[in-house]
Amino acid sequence: MAEKLMKFADAVKKYDPVIGLEVHVELSTQTKLFCPAEVHFGGEPNSQLTPVSLGLPGSLPVVNRMAIDYAVKLGLALHCNIAEWSQFARKNYFYPDMPRDYQISQYDKPLNGEGYLDVELEDGDIFRVPVERAHVEDDAGKNTHVGGADGRIEGADHSLVDYNRAGVPLVEIVTKPITGAGERAAEVAGAYVRTIRDIVRALNISHARMEQGNMRADVNVSLRPSPEAPLGTRSETKNVNSFRGIEKTIIYEIRRQAAILDDGGEILQETRHWDEASQATAGGRVKTDADDYRYFPDPDLVMVHVTKGHIDELASQMPEMPRERRNRLQGEWGFSDLEMRDVVNADALDLIEATIAAGATAGGARKWWLGEISRAANERETLLEDMPITPADVARVEKLVAEGRLNDKLAKQTVAGVLAGEGTPDEVVRKHGYEVVSDDDALEAEVDKALAADPDIAAKLKAGNMKPMGAIIGAVMKATRGQADAKAVSAIVMRKVKS
C-alpha cells in the first residue's frame, strides 16, 4: 500500500530537514585489503578468493599498504586530520555475505578524522559539507536473490552469494549532520557525492562506477520543527547507487516523514531501501546502534603507523582538484558558465578534454559529445563514457568536416555508423561512400538539371532574387544523396545566373 506523502514544498516549509551521508568508495588496488586475492569487476562468481577473504580458521590478515596510501590521499582531499596511528577493529554482525561474521573496519581510531568538502551547486553557490571521518574497511560480498521481482529479496525463493567482493578495500566517508540546506537538501547531497566521485577519479584511486557498486551511499534523513530544535529520528536508506537515486531518496523521505509527523506519528529509526521501479523507499530492519556491533580491536592486526614524512610525501603527489580543473578548462575552452555546467552534468569533461587533445576544437568536441552521441546514449540507456566511440574518432570526424570531405549531415551519418560498430570514421565513410561531392563538373551537371527543371526559379535568380537559391541547392543535394558541397553548388549557381 502506498505511503502517505506531504507535498515537498509544504514539508520543507513546516520542517527543517537534516541529512547525513555515508559514501562507500571501493579502492582500485590490484589486490584485496588483507590478502593477495585479485580485484576486478565481473569475474566468475567466487573465483577471487583466498582463505583470508573467506575467513577460514588459521588465516591471518596483512594490510595492503597501497590501500592505506590511497585512503590518506582521499583524506587529504577532504581536508581531514590524518592520524599517524590508526587501528582496525572487528565489527560483529551476521549476514550471509560476511564470511567471517564480522567486518574488519575502523571505529574509535580512524585513519582520517574530521574534515570538510566544499561543493558547488547549480547556481554557483558553494556549500560546505562537514566530514566526521573517512575510515578504511573491507567490503562485504554480494547477495543475488532469485525468484523475486527485480532481484529483490521480497518474493525470492533462494539467494546466491558471491564472495569476490568480500575483502575489497574501501573508504567509508561519513558526514556530520548536514544542516542549513533546507529545500536544497537533495541538491546538496547530489553535488556532494558527484564531487567525491570526481575527486577519487582525479586521484586515480577508484573507478567510482556507481552502476558497478564500487561507489554507493547510505542516505540518512530526519526532520525537526525548526533549526533550533534537537535532531529528529532518522531513517537510513542503504546502498543507493545513483546520483538521481540519492536525490530522490531524500525528497521522498522528507515527504514521507513530514506526513507521519503531521499526523502525530513517530518516525521509526530503521534502515530502508530505495526502489527505482516504484520511486519510493521501503522499510527494512530496525537500525542497530554502534554498541550492538560489539566493536573491539582486531587482535590479528597491529596498529597502522603512517609517519608525518610519508603523509607529506603523499601530499606532494596530489593532482589538481576537480573544481580548480573545471575552472581552468572553462577559461581555456572559452565556455560560458551554462555551457560548462552542461558539460559537467553530462559527465563529458574528460571525454571533451581527450577529444581536444586528439585535435578537435573545444566547440566541436562539445557539439558532438553533448549532441548526437549524448542522444544515442540516452536511447541506449547507457553512460556517455561507455558509448562505442573514442575521443580520437570524434576528433577525426570534425577534421573530415573541416577539410570539406564531410558536411554536417554526412558527419552525423558517419558518427551513427561508428556507434553501430561499423568501424572507424574513415572506414564508415569508405563503406557508404559518404564523402562530399565537390567535383565541379559533376555538380555543374546537377545544377543544370535543377535549373532546367524549374525555369521560373532560374528566371528569378537571373533577375537578382536570391530567395529561391535554397530550392536549387536542395534539388542538387537530393540528386547527390546529400553529398554535394553546398558552398560549391551556390558558387556554380551564381556563376550561371550572372553569365
Side-chain angles (χ1 to χ4, degrees):
M1 183 168 60
E3 295 178 294
K4 184 177 179 181
L5 303 174
M6 182 183 287
K7 289 183 178 179
F8 181 75
D10 295 337
V12 293
K13 282 182 181 178
K14 190 162 187 177
Y15 299 100
D16 178 48
V18 178
I19 60 174
L21 295 158
E22 300 164 24
V23 180
H24 299 76
V25 178
E26 283 189 352
L27 303 177
S28 55
T29 54
Q30 294 183 345
T31 57
K32 294 184 178 182
L33 183 56
F34 298 114
C35 73
E38 291 186 359
V39 175
H40 55 85
F41 180 78
E44 187 71 21
N46 296 310
S47 62
Q48 301 166 32
L49 303 176
T50 68
V52 174
S53 54
L54 285 174
L56 297 182
S59 61
L60 292 173
V62 178
V63 176
N64 184 329
R65 174 172 176 153
M66 184 63 71
I68 300 300
D69 283 355
Y70 282 4
V72 170
K73 288 183 177 181
L74 181 52
L76 290 169
L78 297 173
H79 306 96
C80 290
N81 295 318
I82 314 296
E84 291 191 39
W85 292 93
S86 61
Q87 187 174 52
F88 284 102
R90 293 187 180 182
K91 180 181 181 182
N92 297 272
Y93 64 95
F94 171 76
Y95 203 61
D97 59 8
M98 289 295 300
R100 293 184 301 256
D101 290 346
Y102 63 85
Q103 181 182 27
I104 301 178
S105 183
Q106 293 186 318
Y107 179 46
D108 56 340
K109 296 180 177 64
L111 177 64
N112 300 312
E114 291 188 1
Y116 67 88
L117 184 60
D118 289 333
V119 299
E120 186 172 353
L121 305 183
E122 279 285 326
D123 59 3
D125 284 353
I126 303 298
F127 191 99
R128 177 162 291 187
V129 175
V131 172
E132 181 177 297
R133 54 195 280 142
H135 62 266
V136 186
E137 60 187 22
D138 63 349
D139 209 347
K142 181 180 179 181
N143 292 322
T144 300
H145 307 295
V146 182
D150 300 322
R152 299 178 65 192
I153 195 169
E154 290 83 3
D157 50 42
H158 67 282
S159 298
L160 302 174
V161 184
D162 179 7
Y163 288 120
N164 280 351
R165 198 173 68 184
V168 171
L170 64 79
V171 174
E172 181 177 346
I173 308 164
V174 182
T175 69
K176 294 182 179 181
I178 302 170
T179 61
E183 63 184 10
R184 305 185 75 178
E187 182 188 355
V188 167
Y192 170 74
V193 180
R194 284 186 179 92
T195 303
I196 289 177
R197 188 273 311 271
D198 292 345
I199 285 173
V200 298
R201 286 185 172 179
L203 294 172
N204 197 28
I205 64 172
S206 174
H207 302 302
R209 298 291 295 266
M210 297 192 79
E211 76 282 0
Q212 293 182 2
N214 48 45
M215 181 171 166
R216 53 197 188 271
D218 298 339
V219 182
N220 296 274
V221 179
S222 67
L223 299 180
R224 55 184 177 179
S226 71
E228 294 75 31
L231 297 177
T233 303
R234 63 187 171 91
S235 66
E236 181 181 7
T237 304
K238 303 287 287 186
N239 293 325
V240 187
N241 66 346
S242 74
F243 301 121
R244 187 62 63 188
I246 290 167
E247 294 167 358
K248 289 181 177 179
T249 291
I250 291 173
I251 292 171
Y252 184 88
E253 278 299 293
I254 289 173
R255 296 180 65 195
R256 181 186 72 87
Q257 293 184 26
I260 293 173
L261 295 173
D262 210 46
D263 285 344
E266 294 184 356
I267 305 300
L268 179 66
Q269 184 170 328
E270 61 178 346
T271 63
R272 297 180 71 84
H273 301 279
W274 171 252
D275 180 14
E276 190 65 34
S278 64
Q279 296 286 288
T281 63
R285 59 179 174 81
V286 175
K287 176 63 179 174
T288 304
D289 291 323
D291 290 345
D292 296 323
Y293 288 126
R294 293 176 291 114
Y295 283 101
F296 63 86
D298 193 308
D300 292 335
L301 290 163
V302 298
M303 293 189 73
V304 177
H305 183 206
V306 185
T307 66
K308 180 66 167 59
H310 190 57
I311 295 172
D312 291 341
E313 180 185 353
L314 293 174
S316 70
Q317 300 170 7
M318 296 288 283
E320 183 180 32
M321 288 293 99
R323 186 147 62 96
E324 288 72 23
R325 177 185 172 221
R326 286 197 301 269
N327 292 339
R328 174 178 58 80
L329 292 176
Q330 181 178 353
E332 292 177 2
W333 297 346
F335 288 176
S336 68
D337 289 344
L338 180 58
E339 288 172 335
M340 196 65 177
R341 192 174 304 132
D342 288 343
V343 168
V344 172
N345 289 342
D347 282 338
L349 191 72
D350 292 341
L351 294 167
I352 289 175
E353 185 178 29
T355 304
I356 294 169
T361 64
R366 180 181 179 277
K367 167 192 169 184
W368 286 111
W369 285 110
L370 268 60
E372 297 302 311
I373 305 173
S374 183
R375 280 191 287 273
N378 289 335
E379 290 172 0
R380 301 184 187 193
E381 297 183 344
T382 191
L383 297 174
L384 205 57
E385 64 187 271
D386 289 337
M387 293 295 283
I389 188 168
T390 68
D393 290 334
V394 176
R396 179 59 180 161
V397 170
E398 195 197 11
K399 185 176 181 181
L400 291 172
V401 173
E403 292 174 346
R405 295 172 60 186
L406 293 179
N407 57 30
D408 193 56
K409 178 182 177 181
L410 295 173
K412 290 178 181 178
Q413 292 173 333
T414 300
V415 167
V418 175
L419 293 175
E422 296 180 2
T424 66
D426 290 287
E427 289 169 341
V428 173
V429 168
R430 284 195 298 270
K431 177 179 179 181
H432 295 281
Y434 280 156
E435 204 154 339
V436 165
V437 176
S438 56
D439 178 77
D440 282 353
D441 291 340
L443 291 179
E444 188 166 351
E446 296 299 337
V447 168
D448 287 339
K449 290 179 185 178
L451 290 173
D454 201 331
D456 289 341
I457 287 181
K460 290 177 181 178
L461 290 171
K462 288 181 179 181
N465 182 0
M466 292 296 107
K467 289 184 179 179
M469 177 69 81
I472 298 298
I473 294 175
V476 176
M477 283 292 186
K478 183 176 181 181
T480 60
R481 297 184 304 151
Q483 292 177 241
D485 184 333
K487 290 182 180 179
V489 172
S490 179
I492 292 170
V493 173
M494 291 300 295
R495 187 173 72 243
K496 285 186 174 294
V497 299
K498 288 180 179 180
S499 60

